[in-house]
Structures are given as structure tokens and as C-alpha cells.
Amino acid sequence: IMQLLKKRKARYMITFIESIEMLNEIKPSSNRMLRFFTQQMTYGNMLKNYSLRDIQQCTDINMRYVMNAIKELCDIDAIRYYEEKNRRTYMVNPIYFYKGTIKKVFFSTKEYDKLPKRDFNLKIIKENKYELD
């Protein structure tokens, strides 16, 4: 572990075992959407300034399936997002997938907890009053 932490510029894409089990349980459109999110996310698991139309055009998925996939992923807490002027900033749950350095995985988990948790109808279940750093 110390050797991993000593590497200064080492960046990783980590997939946890629970995420593989979760991928087997979700619908194919949700699976494809989650793969898109994990491919496009920056270090720290963020996807900034995406509209639903942008996602639909990038994935070539019908808009109805895009919405249903986002609902399912929010319901199982695989992603969270907040909106600003019809643009969304998404974050993939670092408990399932993580992209970045080993040292910052815990920081990303705290950042993820700051985002509003949503149910299947995209209504906010739990909202924290914190701003993302």
C-alpha cells in the first residue's frame, strides 16, 4: 500500500466487486449509460455541464431510455447530480467506480455525499447544504 501511495503521478480506474454485481442487475440501457458516464468522467468522478440532449446524442439512445436509465441509476445510487440552467453536473458513485489517485478516493466519497440523493422519480430524498469544492 505504501508503494501505491508514494507514486506521485499514478492515476487509476478502479472497479469494485459490488459494481460488477450491480451491472448484472440493471437494464441494458442503464448499463450502457453507466459505461458512458465512467468513460467520460474526469478524475474525481465528475461529468460537468451535460444536458440530457448531449447525453442522448453521445450515446445514440432514445430520450425515453436515457431518462429511464438516469432514473434507475439514481434509484440505486450509482450516480447523483445537480442542475444549473438546464445543464447537469453528474458524479458517479466512487463506491462502485473510481477514477483518480488512491489518496483522493476518500475525498471523492465525501464530495459524492454532498450531492442530493434522488429516488426513481428523481425527487430529492436527501439534500445536504454543502457546496462542492
Side-chain angles (χ1 to χ4, degrees):
I1 292 176
M2 290 307 293
Q3 288 178 343
L4 288 175
L5 296 175
K6 284 181 184 177
K7 290 185 177 184
R8 289 188 178 200
K9 295 189 179 187
R11 305 226 188 267
Y12 301 95
M13 175 64 186
I14 301 170
T15 303
F16 295 97
I17 294 172
E18 292 83 14
S19 62
I20 297 170
E21 294 171 5
M22 181 260 304
L23 288 174
N24 290 332
E25 296 171 2
I26 61 177
K27 295 176 184 173
S29 59
S30 300
N31 195 327
R32 188 170 173 194
M33 184 72 60
L34 188 56
R35 281 192 327 222
F36 168 74
F37 283 144
T38 56
Q39 288 171 348
Q40 298 299 318
M41 68 186 180
T42 60
Y43 291 113
N45 290 19
M46 299 295 286
L47 287 99
K48 295 184 179 184
N49 295 326
Y50 275 86
S51 68
L52 291 173
R53 181 72 55 204
D54 294 338
I55 294 170
Q56 189 264 330
Q57 290 174 347
C58 290
T59 58
D60 288 331
I61 300 175
N62 185 316
M63 185 59 84
R64 188 181 82 189
Y65 288 113
V66 168
M67 284 304 301
N68 286 336
I70 289 174
K71 286 179 180 181
E72 184 177 13
L73 294 173
C74 285
D75 189 41
I76 63 172
D77 203 26
I79 63 168
R80 290 186 184 176
Y81 70 89
Y82 67 92
E83 283 186 83
E84 286 182 15
K85 297 180 183 176
N86 203 23
R87 307 294 262 172
R88 293 180 177 178
T89 298
Y90 293 92
M91 187 170 185
V92 177
N93 193 339
I95 293 173
Y96 293 124
F97 301 97
Y98 177 69
K99 184 176 182 180
T101 62
I102 298 292
K103 290 180 182 178
K104 292 192 177 180
V105 73
F106 302 107
F107 174 77
S108 290
T109 304
K110 287 181 184 177
E111 290 294 305
Y112 185 78
D113 285 338
K114 292 178 184 179
L115 293 172
K117 184 176 180 179
R118 299 172 189 271
D119 63 4
F120 185 77
N121 296 321
L122 300 181
K123 291 193 167 79
I124 296 174
I125 299 171
K126 181 187 107 185
E127 183 172 17
N128 293 325
K129 301 288 185 205
Y130 304 110
E131 292 291 322
L132 288 176
D133 295 331

